[in-house]
Amino acid sequence: MIEKMKAVCIASQSSHKDELLTDLRDLGILHIAEKSAADPRFLEEFSALFRVMQELKEYKAKEEEGVLSEEEFDRLYAETSAALAKKAELREKLTGLLLEEERLGPWGNFDPQEVKELFDTVPLRFYLMDKKELSALSQKEGIRYIRLRPVGKSEAVAVVGHPEEPLRAFEFPLPQKGLAQVQREAAECRKGLEECERTLKEAAGHLESFRQRLLKVQNAAEYSSADASLGRDSGIVWVTGFIPQTETEKFSAAAQSHGWAWMIDDADENDADVPTKIRYNKVTALIRPLFAILGTVPGYKEYDISFWFLAFFALFFAMIIGDAGYGALFLIGTIILNVRMKKLTNVTLLLYLLSATTIVWGALTGTWFGLEGAMKVPFLKALVIPGFANYPEYFDVSSTAAQNNVMKFCFSIGVIQLALACVMNIRRKICGKDLGWIADVGWLLSICALYFMVLFLVIGESVNLAAVACAIGAGFLLVVLFGGMSPDKSFAQGLKAGLGNAFTAFLNTISAFGNVMSYIRLFAVGMASLAIAQSFNGMAAGFGGPLVIVGIAIMVIGHALNIVMGFLSVVVHGVRLNLLEFSGQLGMEWSGIAYEPFREIKKEK
């Protein structure tokens, strides 16, 4: 349920600005409208702290120490930052030294300075070449050279002077440091890295202190943002924002207690700055983690479809994954996660739900890791709905009939979901005395008729095409005549607007046909997942005897890959059907602003 919001404006004397902000933060219910950016200094400090914390999480401390004082933390933070910078510098230097050691190693240990002193008497240039080039070099007149010990598989020579023509060989530039010096410096780098590691491991035991400082900086940034959002004029400061209607009494009591000047009114539904606060119940809260991942927020005047999103998403997830064996693996993984977390969360409850629905759907279709042999187990066979079976030959059902039944089920889900959207629109518009509800009746009629058209075209089901055509035509007519109606328009104005959008309504009717058709993706993706599982099972079955371990590896890797692809398909297809087809029929744009009141942050975001 989307909570009703109240628009408020609070004013105080400029001299009481800090008290106003502190009291509002303690109150913790005001969502500031048109919030200004925080002080860049806090943002930079937050970013730096966060980067250091991420680095320290790589070091597993045996146990965390108590929270440090500010002075102790400042000293620790400076040492940690210096250690991280030195570590990066030493790593880069060590990489260069190791490359140089690898280059110099085949040439042996020599002092570059001694060679340079020799250059003053005899100018030399060093080259690497193959035997063929060495033979060619020996036949060239005017070139003097000294053959050196081979370097790897290449011949090494020192050429006296500067050849007039370039040699077809790799020239070895004289290094600045000898091999021994390079190795000494590399050892010093390793020693320095070990010291940095010790410093960082010690700092990792104070992660809680870093978290506390991070929270402090976050709160300082929020405070600076609220300060920058204040209006100022003639010794007065004020701030505008929104509070939930349920918090009106709490706000009024606080305003009177602190002596604020204030105004409060109903929020304008057409104001794009009105935030959305969704009140979840125990059931709909399960879908909250998914909304957080997707970053979707309905507009203030849009619908809260949490329950319907959860119900259809669970079904879509089960049909796309499609395998009871996979569902059992998800269930085991969820139980392990739950035991490790030692408490039930919305995430684990959602995973339990998705695991259960996947097991149920897989059992009804007779799919257990894509193994046909599962149907030879009487208990598993008894769970199957014959008309939906993925191995219909065990139930005297033709493959075509079984596939047509599943496709019809997919289209039925689609028309139910889209029809539900129409009913929700009709209900809201009737309550709002909006004559446009008749257009939604037209959409409901068209979608139901298009469902039968899809069944005729895809699975060849017998339908009365004349009746279907009449229903689509009647629905289109209602959409055109009443689609432009709204409470702020007269009947004539609404009729004119609807007729003006007749072509758009025609295109939307074609789009509605595509929306119903799109639910076939549930069948297609599920069948693809089954085919992939069967393919890997077939490959693994070809390895017997001593090679059975290879077959097991193929099955494990293959099914793991299939599960990953299934998760991707859920995101692409399962989420899409809710966010596009269903939400589109509802007229939702998911353009809302999340309700984020100005308050002290108690935990890391």
Side-chain angles (χ1 to χ4, degrees):
M1 170 183 167
I2 296 178
E3 292 197 24
K4 293 290 185 182
M5 304 298 289
K6 291 285 189 177
V8 298
C9 180
I10 307 145
S12 182
Q13 296 178 354
S14 297
S15 58
H16 295 163
K17 173 181 71 80
D18 292 335
E19 291 91 332
L20 172 64
L21 290 175
T22 301
D23 293 337
L24 285 174
R25 183 175 62 183
D26 293 340
L27 185 61
I29 60 174
L30 177 68
H31 175 101
I32 298 176
E34 299 182 7
K35 199 172 183 180
S36 300
D39 190 322
R41 294 175 300 169
F42 296 120
L43 300 179
E44 291 170 5
E45 184 179 356
F46 177 87
S47 179
L49 275 167
F50 185 78
R51 284 197 301 269
V52 171
M53 281 186 64
Q54 293 301 110
E55 293 277 358
L56 291 181
K57 285 179 180 179
E58 296 181 8
Y59 300 88
K60 302 276 185 174
K62 292 182 179 179
E63 58 181 64
E64 291 197 10
E65 306 290 339
V67 178
L68 301 173
S69 66
E70 289 200 12
E71 291 182 1
E72 291 173 331
F73 179 82
D74 288 339
R75 185 166 55 253
L76 173 69
Y77 180 63
E79 293 173 355
T80 305
S81 299
L84 286 171
K86 186 177 180 181
K87 177 184 172 182
E89 180 184 346
L90 289 175
R91 274 186 173 177
E92 183 178 357
K93 183 178 179 181
L94 180 60
T95 300
L97 290 170
L98 292 176
L99 291 173
E100 185 69 358
E101 182 180 357
E102 182 180 357
R103 185 175 78 94
L104 296 179
W107 291 85
N109 189 21
F110 63 91
D111 187 351
Q113 290 302 121
E114 293 179 356
V115 178
K116 289 179 180 178
E117 291 174 3
L118 179 62
F119 281 2
D120 296 336
T121 307
V122 182
L124 297 174
R125 298 169 75 93
F126 299 93
Y127 294 91
L128 291 174
M129 60 185 67
D130 57 28
K131 292 182 179 180
K132 183 179 178 181
E133 292 301 325
L134 179 61
S135 177
L137 181 66
S138 64
Q139 297 175 10
K140 292 184 178 180
E141 297 181 0
I143 294 182
R144 293 179 298 165
Y145 67 91
I146 303 170
R147 186 175 180 181
L148 306 176
R149 184 183 65 185
V151 175
K153 295 182 180 181
S154 301
E155 297 291 339
V157 298
V159 177
V160 180
H162 300 279
E164 295 181 359
E165 297 180 2
L167 300 180
R168 296 181 62 182
F170 173 76
E171 183 175 0
F172 174 74
L174 197 64
Q176 296 295 321
K177 303 171 185 177
L179 179 61
Q181 184 179 353
V182 169
Q183 291 173 336
R184 283 196 303 271
E185 291 187 8
E188 291 174 1
C189 284
R190 292 189 182 95
K191 184 178 179 181
L193 286 171
E194 289 175 359
E195 293 175 358
C196 292
E197 293 291 316
R198 283 195 295 271
T199 301
L200 296 175
K201 284 181 181 178
E202 182 181 348
H206 297 281
L207 275 175
E208 184 57 34
S209 297
F210 277 90
R211 295 187 190 99
Q212 293 298 323
R213 176 59 67 91
L214 197 65
L215 286 175
K216 182 178 180 181
V217 174
Q218 280 183 288
N219 284 312
E222 289 292 321
Y223 188 93
S224 70
S225 174
D227 190 0
S229 303
L230 293 176
R232 294 171 171 84
D233 189 25
S234 302
I236 300 295
V237 294
W238 67 90
V239 62
T240 58
F242 304 91
I243 63 171
Q245 182 172 282
T246 53
E247 302 285 3
T248 303
E249 291 186 8
K250 181 179 180 180
F251 171 79
S252 300
Q256 293 174 4
S257 172
H258 297 297
W260 301 333
W262 55 282
M263 293 189 304
I264 188 168
D265 197 2
D266 291 333
D268 182 2
E269 289 189 353
N270 296 317
D271 185 351
D273 292 328
V274 181
T276 302
K277 182 184 180 184
I278 299 178
R279 185 190 304 166
Y280 294 96
N281 57 38
K282 291 183 179 180
V283 176
T284 58
L286 301 187
I287 203 64
R288 192 172 185 175
L290 182 60
F291 282 162
I293 294 172
L294 297 174
T296 53
V297 180
Y300 177 64
K301 63 178 181 179
E302 294 182 342
Y303 295 93
D304 171 22
I305 61 170
S306 303
F307 175 79
W308 300 114
F309 197 111
L310 175 64
F312 284 109
F313 178 74
L315 178 58
F316 297 159
F317 183 95
M319 295 180 69
I320 289 172
I321 299 298
D323 194 298
Y326 294 168
L329 292 179
F330 300 158
L331 182 60
I332 293 171
T334 304
I335 292 172
I336 294 172
L337 177 64
N338 194 5
V339 170
R340 292 186 63 180
M341 296 179 66
K342 299 180 181 179
K343 64 178 180 179
L344 275 173
T345 64
N346 288 333
V347 173
T348 51
L349 287 172
L350 177 61
L351 291 175
Y352 277 126
L353 174 63
L354 298 179
S355 302
T357 54
T358 304
I359 292 172
V360 170
W361 178 257
L364 295 178
T365 59
T367 312
W368 298 85
F369 295 107
L371 296 170
E372 183 178 347
M375 292 300 92
K376 296 177 182 178
V377 180
F379 173 72
L380 299 181
K381 183 178 179 181
L383 299 175
V384 179
I385 297 176
F388 283 5
N390 279 325
Y391 298 100
E393 59 272 15
Y394 286 86
F395 304 91
D396 296 325
V397 177
S398 69
S399 297
T400 302
Q403 291 180 3
N404 285 347
N405 287 336
V406 177
M407 284 192 284
K408 185 175 181 179
F409 181 69
C410 294
F411 294 136
S412 299
I413 294 172
V415 75
I416 289 171
Q417 190 176 33
L418 296 176
L420 172 65
C422 295
V423 171
M424 291 171 67
N425 282 333
I426 291 169
R427 180 178 178 276
R428 170 173 280 193
K429 289 179 180 179
I430 288 177
C431 294
K433 297 181 180 180
D434 182 353
L435 201 58
W437 68 267
I438 300 177
D440 289 291
V441 171
W443 280 121
L444 178 60
L445 185 61
S446 295
I447 287 170
C448 292
L450 289 170
Y451 165 71
F452 292 102
M453 178 68 75
V454 168
L455 294 183
F456 172 74
L457 294 175
V458 177
I459 64 177
E461 187 162 307
S462 177
V463 299
N464 187 331
L465 292 179
V468 169
C470 290
I472 294 173
F476 174 73
L477 186 62
L478 291 176
V479 171
V480 170
L481 293 178
F482 294 92
M485 300 294 176
S486 66
D488 58 342
K489 292 180 182 177
S490 66
F491 182 85
Q493 290 173 328
L495 184 63
K496 182 179 178 181
L499 292 172
N501 290 325
F503 184 69
T504 302
F506 173 73
L507 295 179
N508 289 338
T509 302
I510 297 175
S511 177
F513 174 79
N515 289 344
V516 177
M517 279 287 292
S518 69
Y519 284 81
I520 199 174
R521 70 185 66 228
L522 299 173
F523 164 78
V525 177
M527 288 299 295
S529 177
L530 174 63
I532 292 171
Q534 290 173 333
S535 296
F536 280 110
N537 290 341
M539 292 169 59
F543 293 89
L547 296 177
V548 67
I549 189 69
V550 178
I552 294 175
I554 289 175
M555 285 192 66
V556 171
I557 295 173
H559 284 292
L561 178 63
N562 200 20
I563 289 173
V564 172
M565 292 174 63
F567 281 128
L568 293 175
S569 297
V570 168
V571 175
V572 173
H573 303 292
V575 172
R576 172 204 162 95
L577 291 173
N578 277 305
L579 289 183
L580 291 182
E581 275 77 0
F582 181 48
S583 299
Q585 192 63 46
L586 282 169
M588 292 182 63
E589 298 180 356
W590 295 94
S591 57
I593 300 171
Y595 169 70
E596 293 182 347
F598 174 47
R599 60 187 171 191
E600 185 176 6
I601 303 169
K602 299 295 184 181
K603 63 180 181 179
E604 179 184 345
K605 286 187 176 179

